[in-house]
Amino acid sequence: MQVSLSFERSLSKDVAIMVDVLRASTTITVALEKIPNIIPTLEIEEALALAPKHQAFRAGERRGATIEGFDVGNSPVDIQKLSGETLIITTSNGTRILEGITGRALIGSFINAQAVAKKAREISTEHIEVVMAGVRGNFAIEDFLGAGAIISHLQDQELDEMAQAACLAIQNPEMVDLAVRNSRSAKNLRKLGFGEDVDFCLQRDKSQLVPEFKDGLIRVLE
């Protein structure tokens, strides 16, 4: 089995795991505990239009800040307050990456690294690709390290050199936490009052849920 690490663009026709540590991957995974159907959208206007049709909650951010008029931002802490059938979510990076995946699209982070790696192994045939979302086209260290956490559970497979590098980068958990907390994304979130989200997103294997994006909808992959 080939395991590769890529940035922004997905090439695999088999299985791809989107990683947006701060915060879409984490928020979506946590939301699925109480909300079984999540519809990601690229545009705010689309989210606003869809919400009444589905009697859905609206979650979203731009540059980390909660979108005006939405129920919550892209916050794994705040999302736990919601419970219902459907959530519409729009984010700066993660939802955009999901739309570009042509194979089976899973969602992973520190919070479900072991579970998503296991499920990817079960459903793939030849290639597992881990896709770092980044931030507005720029490399994000938190996504590289989150990808490493997932790939560390696939080390017995044929890793490309970027995947190997991500595995090596997470050998010291304390240094990983420090790097994520000092990242540009984390500093921005703290300025906006979302410092608690950063710590929440660093939790290891808190969830056994594996989100899958299929036919425009995110649900738990059983």
Side-chain angles (χ1 to χ4, degrees):
M1 180 77 64
Q2 285 186 309
V3 177
S4 64
L5 177 59
S6 62
F7 172 58
E8 278 207 316
R9 292 183 177 87
S10 172
L11 300 175
S12 178
K13 305 295 184 184
D14 194 359
V15 176
I17 303 169
M18 188 279 288
V19 180
D20 185 352
V21 169
L22 298 176
R23 298 166 284 172
S25 289
T26 313
T27 299
I28 288 167
T29 303
V30 171
L32 285 170
E33 293 174 0
K34 294 183 178 179
I35 305 172
N37 304 296
I38 299 177
I39 303 171
T41 70
L42 292 175
E43 304 298 336
I44 295 171
E45 293 75 16
E46 186 183 2
L48 290 169
L50 285 173
K53 296 177 184 177
H54 295 274
Q55 297 182 317
F57 295 112
R58 293 167 295 186
E61 57 77 28
R62 287 297 182 267
R63 296 184 180 271
T66 302
I67 298 168
E68 186 177 352
F70 276 45
D71 297 289
V72 293
N74 177 26
S75 168
V77 172
D78 293 343
I79 206 79
Q80 295 175 91
K81 301 170 186 174
L82 305 181
S83 180
E85 283 299 311
T86 307
L87 174 74
I88 312 289
I89 189 168
T90 181
T91 70
S92 301
N93 306 293
T95 50
R96 172 176 54 85
I97 302 304
L98 284 174
E99 292 287 348
I101 293 175
T102 55
R104 293 190 69 170
L106 308 184
I107 297 169
S109 187
F110 288 110
I111 199 170
N112 68 339
Q114 186 170 8
V116 76
K118 180 181 178 183
K119 187 62 71 172
R121 188 196 298 260
E122 289 174 3
I123 67 173
S124 60
T125 57
E126 59 181 9
H127 182 201
I128 299 170
E129 179 185 37
V130 183
V131 187
M132 299 176 288
V135 179
R136 296 186 297 278
N138 296 309
F139 174 87
I141 193 168
E142 66 270 14
D143 294 342
F144 178 67
L145 296 170
I150 295 167
I151 296 166
S152 70
H153 298 291
L154 298 166
Q155 289 189 76
D156 58 337
Q157 304 300 307
E158 184 183 341
L159 309 187
D160 74 359
E161 291 191 0
M162 280 188 67
Q164 291 178 48
C167 278
L168 290 171
I170 63 154
Q171 297 303 305
N172 186 321
E174 290 182 0
M175 290 185 68
V176 169
D177 288 0
L178 183 62
V180 173
R181 290 189 174 108
N182 286 331
S183 67
R184 288 169 299 177
S185 298
K187 289 176 180 177
N188 181 54
L189 289 172
R190 283 196 294 273
K191 284 181 184 177
L192 294 167
F194 292 111
E196 191 178 352
D197 281 355
V198 177
D199 291 332
F200 189 98
C201 292
L202 279 168
Q203 295 177 99
R204 272 46 164 206
D205 298 311
K206 174 183 171 64
S207 176
Q208 296 303 307
L209 299 185
V210 177
E212 180 181 25
F213 176 59
K214 183 179 180 181
D215 299 327
L217 190 65
I218 300 171
R219 287 178 169 156
V220 173
L221 177 58
E222 300 295 344

